Amino acid sequence: MNLDECYVLLLAHLRPRHLTNGWAKGGVDKLELSEFEGLKSAGDGSGSGRQGSSDLAFPPVEASPSCFGYPISIFFIIINEFCERFSYYGMRAILVLYFQRFFGWDDNLSTAIYHTFVALCYLTPVLGALIADSWLGKFKTIISLSIVYTVGQAITAISSINDLSDNNHDGKPDNITLHVSLSMIGLVLIALGTGGIKPCVSAFGGDQFEEHQEKQRNRFFSIFYLAVNAGSLLSTIITPMLRVQLCGIHSLQACYPLAFGVPAALMAVSLIVFLIGSSMYKKVQPQGNVMAEVAKCIGFAIKNRFKHRSKEFPKREHWLDWAKEKYDERLIAQIKMVVKVMFLYIPLPMFWALFDQQGSRWTLQATTMNGNLGAIEIQPDQMQTVNAILIVIMVPIVDAVIYPLIAKCGFNFTSLKKITVGMFLASMAFVVAAIIQLEIDKTLPVFPKGNEIQVQVLNVGNENLTAYFPGREKINVTVSESSGFLTLDFNSPPNINISFGQQPQQYPVENYFEKGYRHSVLAWNSNNIVTLKDSLKTKPEKGLNGIRFVNGLDHAVNITMDGITYENIVSYNASDYEFFSSGEKTIEIKGVCSGKSPKLEFGSAYTYVLTKCDTNGLTLKTFEDISANTVNIALQIPQYFLLTCGEVVFSVTGLEFSYSQAPSNMKSVLQAGWLVTVAVGNIIVLIVAGAGQFSEQWAEYVLFAALLLAVCIIFAIMAYYYTYINPAEIEAQFDDEDKKRNSRKVGDESDLYEKPESFSQTAM
């Protein structure tokens, strides 16, 4: 079928039937018949796909129109998922900065609230699955919770409007509690919405396929995952760009309302697109409170088995068979399917424990690397987009090239084998991360520990000097140079002396040292020797550069650099460090002088000594306190590549496997169970990171790699003994038995009226 035919068919189903019957007859209708001639019946309302059943619980579902062999309805579902993921990841990308810079929360509180929100997003799928499978059905659940989701995004965007409570127009909200309350309400609604529809959308997409379309259904899950990552990629690029724009009614601020408003608009678009395809969806009806029946059945089986634990009672094939006294065999068989898959889920959270460290440990690793890639500069938190970019590239390659090649080689690459390979690749990604970390560690500065201190002498004067450190040879320091940091024992009072030029006179440095810190001795001349305690105890975070100013003028100054003001730096004294991104920055003393800083790279720290400021400009002496990162950030790409390949064969396959092995009335429940493994994985990270205090980061990477490798081996053994099933066939067998039982019942009733004597003899 070509694109024109697909377009005509789409129009036919979007237009009201009374308008299309005339022009479509012999065109679209004939096309539909040719497309679906000989296909299996859609089966009963539970989606079992059984052909030819006449005694079904629900009317047969009409086959959906197709395009290129795929139901047209899935294209609406994929567009819906793309917009929803854009909305979610776009909002999440700026959430921590919103907490820090708008609410003024510290790093710990911002991080805690952020992870609580993410965890909630991956726990609410259980609620969404229960609502879908037991009450509303997938379609109505998606519609209802998408409305909740859209409202939550809108409330979050409103909470970020500074002018909402800025009554005095000073650029700061006067009632921060109002903004926090609105934001928390919005985030709770978003978590309920995004989590609630997570297990429903992919399962609803799977429902659109006929039983014989297994190949198309598997490819749908790959395309579905591609849409997820395409939305994620674009949103994480676009929304940070929107955030840095300036907007406001009375004062210009970072434009959080726009950055949150665009994701809210995309969520509204997602809902509208999904509604447009409503008439084409195959909608499987809910079958009552399935989970309650499952819980009761399992509870009864355990209770009954405990009552009959004596050896005098014969064993049964499966522990759930002890529920046969009360529950029918169909429900017991369905629960057996779910329990089998849930058992396989037990090792899976370990994969997510490694995968989700892209946003934490790997980003922190990137802050210690150099982001210069020729003409492009990559910020540490932008490296996460590598995963989304690689997903967009690798999903079609793996699906259209790798899997077919493996099949041609005669290797039976089953779903569980794919998941095992994905876990192994993720483990190897962390081995690569550990190797890179060892290379980074060789370049990191050494900071004082315990009772140690470090001291450097900066020659900010106009003549050479000599520094005398206890127990060491004298060090000659030329003009505008540093002695470099020397490590000394705090318990032995470090008597440091300085002589200037050729003078034999030595001038003592006052002992203002504090253990565990670095210190800088600024020496202008014999009358001006100042000791500073450096506030930096680690490399600057997020690849930023720490800059402090020393005022070498005879009056106090206010210095502004790239919009940040260092206030009231007195003569012959220094400011604290402020932090800046890479590149050249404008330095200005308002109304007096201005100039440009040296080009900043990544992760460095400098002391700028102001020696001159007039109408001709300003003059600085630059001292390097911490050298810039030297290991290039491009070396992280191999570990991202391995992890992404692992994700492709693990996550995409997991979605498809969960759907294919689930009974018709519990598909959303298994999808929710799959998503819960993500939440458990994040909890594992918190436990391992909290319990194991590693002095070396590479050791933590190796630990996680070893844990996942061990889990991978365990899972491979479990997968070896797993027997794949076809839930539709099993349910069809029960349908056949029900049909035969009903036929016998009808026959018996007929005998009752037509052959009473025969009945009587039989009874006797």
Side-chain angles (χ1 to χ4, degrees), residues 706-754:
L707 287 174
L708 183 57
L709 188 59
V711 167
C712 178
I713 295 171
I714 294 171
F715 181 81
I717 296 171
M718 295 168 63
Y720 179 78
Y721 291 100
Y722 182 84
T723 303
Y724 289 87
I725 60 172
N726 187 335
E729 289 183 359
I730 296 174
E731 292 176 335
Q733 292 174 8
F734 283 104
D735 288 338
D736 288 337
E737 292 176 5
D738 291 343
K739 185 176 181 181
K740 291 176 183 178
R741 192 179 299 113
N742 291 337
S743 297
R744 285 196 298 268
K745 184 177 179 181
V746 171
D748 291 344
E749 290 176 352
S750 176
D751 290 342
L752 178 64
Y753 293 103
E754 295 179 7

Side-chain angles (χ1 to χ4, degrees), residues 314-333:
K315 291 184 177 180
R316 300 187 182 182
E317 185 178 353
H318 194 281
W319 63 271
L320 277 167
D321 291 333
W322 288 95
K324 287 183 178 179
E325 283 82 350
K326 186 175 180 181
Y327 295 91
D328 64 66
E329 292 187 8
R330 177 193 288 266
L331 178 63
I332 293 173

Side-chain angles (χ1 to χ4, degrees), residues 325-362:
E325 283 82 350
K326 186 175 180 181
Y327 295 91
D328 64 66
E329 292 187 8
R330 177 193 288 266
L331 178 63
I332 293 173
Q334 290 172 331
I335 296 174
K336 286 179 181 178
M337 299 179 212
V338 171
V339 169
K340 280 183 66 177
V341 178
M342 287 291 191
F343 179 71
L344 285 176
Y345 282 177
I346 294 174
L348 301 187
M350 199 64 221
F351 173 88
W352 298 114
L354 274 70
F355 179 81
D356 284 338
Q357 291 190 54
Q358 293 177 88
S360 54
R361 296 299 189 193
W362 284 15

Side-chain angles (χ1 to χ4, degrees), residues 439-493:
E439 292 301 312
I440 293 172
D441 289 347
K442 295 176 183 178
T443 67
L444 293 178
V446 178
F447 290 90
K449 302 175 183 177
N451 289 323
E452 294 178 341
I453 62 169
Q454 289 181 341
V455 181
Q456 69 168 343
V457 175
L458 305 180
N459 187 350
V460 293
N462 297 317
E463 56 182 340
N464 297 339
L465 60 79
T466 303
Y468 300 87
F469 291 88
R472 299 174 183 268
E473 294 183 0
K474 63 183 181 180
I475 299 176
N476 295 318
V477 185
T478 58
V479 175
S480 301
E481 294 293 333
S482 167
S483 65
F485 282 101
L486 281 79
T487 302
L488 305 172
D489 186 359
F490 177 77
N491 294 328
S492 301

Side-chain angles (χ1 to χ4, degrees), residues 216-282:
Q216 289 92 334
R217 188 183 66 200
N218 292 349
R219 185 157 292 178
F220 159 75
F221 283 111
S222 295
I223 298 171
F224 183 87
Y225 204 70
L226 186 65
V228 169
N229 284 276
S232 167
L233 172 62
L234 290 177
S235 64
T236 52
I237 294 173
I238 293 173
T239 52
M241 295 170 61
L242 298 176
R243 178 187 62 81
V244 298
Q245 305 302 314
L246 297 178
C247 64
I249 300 174
H250 302 291
S251 60
L252 295 179
Q253 304 288 330
C255 205
Y256 289 105
L258 178 62
F260 284 127
V262 169
L266 261 291
M267 190 57 225
V269 171
S270 172
L271 176 59
I272 293 170
V273 168
F274 189 75
L275 283 170
I276 290 174
S278 175
S279 62
M280 284 176 275
Y281 297 139
K282 183 194 296 182

Side-chain angles (χ1 to χ4, degrees), residues 482-525:
S482 167
S483 65
F485 282 101
L486 281 79
T487 302
L488 305 172
D489 186 359
F490 177 77
N491 294 328
S492 301
N495 299 317
I496 303 172
N497 295 295
I498 296 175
S499 64
F500 294 89
Q502 303 299 321
Q503 302 175 14
Q505 177 72 37
Q506 295 183 16
Y507 300 92
V509 174
E510 295 191 37
N511 190 349
Y512 292 133
F513 305 125
E514 184 176 339
K515 65 180 180 180
Y517 282 90
R518 286 181 160 191
H519 301 80
S520 297
V521 178
L522 307 177
W524 280 272
N525 51 52

